[in-house]
Amino acid sequence: MPTALPLRLLQLITGLFLYGFGASLMIRAAIGVAPWDVLSQGIAAQTPLSFGLATNVIGALVLLLWWPLRQKPGVGTVLNVMLIGPSAQFGLWLLPPAVGLGWQLAMFCAGMLLVALATGLYIGAKLGPGPRDGLMTGLHARTGWPIWKVRSLIEGSVLLLGWWLGGNVGVGTLAFALLIGPLCGVTLGWFGIGKVPSAPASGSAGPCPASAQRGKG
């Protein structure tokens, strides 16, 4: 686990880039994506915004909600808003759509594993949570509701809105919801973050145990 600030920044930026690229792999697989990415897809489908720019806009809007919740962003929070969208858009530019179920499954699994690794990297840098996690933990602190309930409410609402706007909900969305928590539990341990109890929920942006926590975001 790097301790010097330049190394932590490098770890953070690498993790955020890989997170966006992992998201693009899952999008190209076209069998469903994480809830926050469903929302970004839906907004991109209904506006002139690209997926990457829609991701940036959502992150910035969510960050504005921190103000009434009295959450304090870190440099990692700001870079999260700025970098995940462009890295996802780069991946979408670079990667062709998967053709055939075998390639779809392979690309989706590679993307989900990369997102889990990326989450361990950028959370392990300990330079601030992602905007979506700050919203979740802030609402938890203000309402007293359990983290799993707050997370389920937020991501369930995001998923429904994104689906209504035209985002891709499929078997991959369910697989992500079920598997990303345990996968992040492993990768967080690699980077010095203790494993926390997993919560029932859908995954995103970002998607791992909140109290670690998390970035995308």
Side-chain angles (χ1 to χ4, degrees):
M1 166 86 187
T3 55
L5 182 58
L7 290 179
R8 291 167 64 198
L9 282 170
L10 178 61
Q11 178 174 320
L12 171 71
I13 292 169
T14 301
L16 293 174
F17 176 82
L18 292 178
Y19 192 105
F21 197 84
S24 70
L25 279 164
M26 292 189 290
I27 292 168
R28 287 304 191 210
I31 58 172
V33 294
W36 285 100
D37 292 337
V38 172
L39 180 58
S40 294
Q41 282 186 321
I43 290 174
Q46 301 298 327
T47 69
L49 299 179
S50 66
F51 174 86
L53 189 53
T55 298
N56 283 9
V57 169
I58 291 169
L61 292 175
V62 170
L63 189 55
L64 290 176
L65 297 176
W66 283 33
W67 181 263
L69 296 174
R70 300 176 183 174
Q71 296 289 94
K72 295 181 180 179
V75 64
T77 311
V78 177
L79 288 178
N80 185 296
V81 172
M82 295 174 60
L83 296 182
I84 288 181
S87 64
Q89 197 62 40
F90 171 74
L92 292 174
W93 170 79
L94 182 67
L95 299 166
V99 178
L101 182 59
W103 280 111
Q104 287 178 290
L105 292 173
M107 190 172 282
F108 180 86
C109 290
M112 183 164 58
L113 291 172
L114 191 57
V115 163
L117 174 62
T119 301
L121 276 167
Y122 73 71
I123 293 177
K126 297 182 179 178
L127 289 171
R132 296 154 186 82
D133 287 312
L135 175 63
M136 178 168 52
T137 54
L139 285 172
H140 162 68
R142 295 299 293 271
T143 64
W145 294 353
I147 282 287
W148 70 263
K149 183 180 290 187
V150 175
R151 179 172 178 172
S152 298
L153 177 63
I154 293 173
E155 297 199 355
S157 301
V158 163
L159 179 63
L160 288 174
L161 178 59
W163 173 76
W164 180 70
L165 290 172
N168 181 14
V169 177
V171 65
T173 309
L174 177 61
F176 190 92
L178 294 175
L179 297 177
I180 195 63
L183 288 172
C184 288
V186 173
T187 62
L188 287 166
W190 292 349
F191 297 99
I193 304 295
K195 189 173 181 180
V196 299
S198 57
S202 12
S204 180
C208 298
S211 59
Q213 210 31 323
R214 163 198 138 204
K216 183 181 170 189

